[in-house]
Amino acid sequence: MYPDNTPHVPVQRAVEVHQPTPLPPAVTVSAPVVPVQPDSVPAVASVVLPDGRVVTGYAINPTQPQPVVAKPPVSRAAVNVALGGVGFLAVCGGLLLLTTFITALTALITQLITLAAVIFGGWVAVQVFSASSRQGGTTVNIRKATFKRNHFHG
């Protein structure tokens, strides 16, 4: 840090000590304070606290509300036209939803009918192809008569 062979002596600085200055005690007013309403609000207001201290500040003028601007009345015709437009849009939306529902229901019924036809057709095909694959056919014995596929053999 320091070059070699250089003696290091710390630098001494003067230290200043600040002592707080005490405030003089508040002077109490010997006469009783009677609040009096002034004729007008002064530019600077003063308030005497119960312990005798006086607080002075600027008075705040009360804000005046903005005058209410009269709104022009809305005509009955404008209200009726607006409500009619809203009603028309509601009816159109309802009809659109109804049409969509009917279309979806029709598609569902069509798919169910197609599914039933495929299942029934498959069942019929299984019955036809399984019956032709049998060699002997159906044999029924009634009173010692033998019927084989609608042919009587006696």
Side-chain angles (χ1 to χ4, degrees), residues 7-76:
H8 176 63
V9 178
V11 178
Q12 295 182 359
R13 297 189 176 122
V15 178
E16 295 180 24
V17 178
H18 297 281
Q19 296 293 331
T21 307
L23 297 175
V27 179
T28 57
V29 178
S30 59
V33 177
V34 178
V36 177
Q37 184 67 27
D39 293 337
S40 65
V41 178
V44 176
S46 297
V47 178
V48 178
L49 299 177
D51 63 354
R53 293 181 293 162
V54 177
V55 178
T56 304
Y58 293 101
I60 298 174
N61 294 330
T63 58
Q64 299 294 330
Q66 296 291 333
V68 178
V69 178
K71 294 181 180 179
V74 179
S75 68
R76 283 292 225 189

